[in-house]
Amino acid sequence: MAKPKIKRPKSLPEYLAIIEDGQRDKGHSLWYRGIGSASYQLLPSLYRHKSSTSPEEFASLERQLMTRFRQRSIPYHNRPLADDWDALFFMQHYGVPTRLLDWTENPLIALHFALMSAAAASMAGAPSGDAAVWILDPVVWNKHALKHQSFDGGVLTPDDDALKGYRPVPKFSGMHNHPVALYGAHNSSRIVAQQGAFTIFGRSASPMESIAVQEKFPLDCLVKVSLKATVVAGMRKSLLNHGVTESVVFPDLEGLAREIKRVFGFGG
């Protein structure tokens, strides 16, 4: 059974050539997800829970998390959460476990996340390893994931009928199985700057790369760009020299602080 394609650039120009080749002749944007460890699976945080394993347990866990977040977050934001979708995206932004997985339409933003995460892990004493950027064709992925309902559309939004099978519900028994790609609420300056997008998982708790193989998704709709440990430092330096820095990716005081710390030799 065929596995997702793997490409191995050795420099920033080679990475950009892969991106340009993949984007050629597409009438829509590809999506990217950068990770500091190439072995890290495309699986959302909710489905990484240590003891919950079944759809019923995940449904209960999601409902408890949403209820607790709604109850406790009221003093910390100045607008009501309109519905469960709004709450879900808000939770994701602040790191509460959800069925959402973050992607970006900007390949340089994804590369920044991969290279900076790999560098941070190395500085923390973790063994040096490969980083990676995953490339997703969200339109082709959705068409295959929703083929049982003759879906011919593109990227979903929370208002689309096709997404009703993924909404937060007390039980996952009627939920669709495969992840799908969607645009969420741009409820922060970070999401805007990072050109953020999402996949949301259904009943299946398998990672996307496994689902792509098992369910025979089109071969080019999910591609892995592996960044060998030996090239991470050089590519990171090149990317930063091209202006893709912390304050660009995180346009707030935290991002500025990260950048200043690195520039003045405090890590990185």
Side-chain angles (χ1 to χ4, degrees):
M1 194 174 292
K3 295 182 179 180
K5 288 184 178 180
I6 300 179
K7 302 187 177 184
R8 296 180 172 86
K10 298 178 181 178
S11 65
L12 181 59
E14 287 186 15
Y15 174 78
L16 293 175
I18 290 171
I19 300 305
E20 290 180 5
D21 184 60
Q23 190 64 65
R24 189 175 293 116
D25 299 326
K26 297 283 186 182
H28 55 270
S29 296
L30 297 177
W31 291 3
Y32 309 89
R33 177 173 172 82
I35 48 179
S37 171
S39 63
Y40 202 70
Q41 296 178 315
L42 295 175
L43 193 66
S45 51
L46 183 73
Y47 288 172
R48 293 178 180 273
H49 193 266
K50 292 181 179 180
S51 59
S52 297
T53 57
S54 69
E56 293 75 21
E57 290 172 324
F58 287 131
S60 175
L61 184 60
E62 180 178 76
R63 181 53 52 182
Q64 291 179 60
L65 286 166
M66 293 188 74
T67 299
R68 180 64 60 87
F69 185 80
R70 282 180 176 277
Q71 291 171 338
R72 301 288 298 274
S73 66
I74 293 173
Y76 305 112
H77 55 85
N78 56 11
R79 65 174 183 83
L81 300 175
D83 53 26
D84 281 347
W85 283 116
D86 195 22
L88 205 63
F89 290 119
F90 211 56
M91 289 165 61
Q92 178 73 2
H93 174 65
Y94 286 103
V96 180
T98 72
R99 285 181 288 124
L100 293 168
L101 201 61
D102 294 295
W103 296 78
T104 173
E105 293 182 299
N106 188 323
L108 294 178
I109 295 293
L111 184 61
H112 177 97
F113 277 113
L115 298 176
M116 300 303 281
S117 296
S122 179
M123 286 184 289
S128 297
D130 299 349
V133 174
W134 283 95
I135 306 175
L136 174 71
D137 187 323
V139 173
V140 174
W141 181 279
N142 277 0
K143 187 172 182 179
H144 190 85
L146 298 172
K147 64 181 180 180
H148 61 282
Q149 59 187 69
S150 301
F151 179 77
D152 291 321
V155 178
L156 298 167
T157 68
D159 294 329
D160 289 330
D161 287 340
L163 205 56
K164 289 181 178 178
Y166 293 88
R167 68 187 188 279
V169 289
K171 294 183 179 180
F172 286 1
S173 56
M175 185 175 287
H176 294 324
N177 203 39
H178 304 321
V180 290
L182 75 153
Y183 290 120
H186 279 200
N187 54 18
S188 78
S189 59
R190 284 190 178 184
I191 293 179
V192 174
Q194 296 167 9
Q195 296 176 245
F198 305 90
T199 48
I200 187 165
F201 276 58
R203 281 175 53 85
S204 175
S206 296
M208 287 180 68
E209 61 270 33
S210 298
I211 292 172
V213 172
Q214 295 163 1
E215 302 300 327
K216 299 180 179 179
F217 276 68
L219 194 59
D220 288 334
C221 75
L222 188 64
V223 175
K224 186 177 187 178
V225 179
S226 180
L227 308 168
K228 300 293 289 182
T230 53
V231 307
V232 165
M235 289 184 69
R236 176 174 172 270
K237 181 179 180 181
S238 184
L239 186 69
L240 293 170
N241 286 341
H242 280 75
V244 187
T245 63
E246 296 89 341
S247 63
V248 172
V249 177
F250 302 96
D252 50 32
L253 288 175
E254 182 182 347
L256 176 61
R258 290 187 192 185
E259 185 170 316
I260 290 173
K261 286 172 64 178
R262 174 182 55 79
V263 169
F264 282 89
F266 292 92

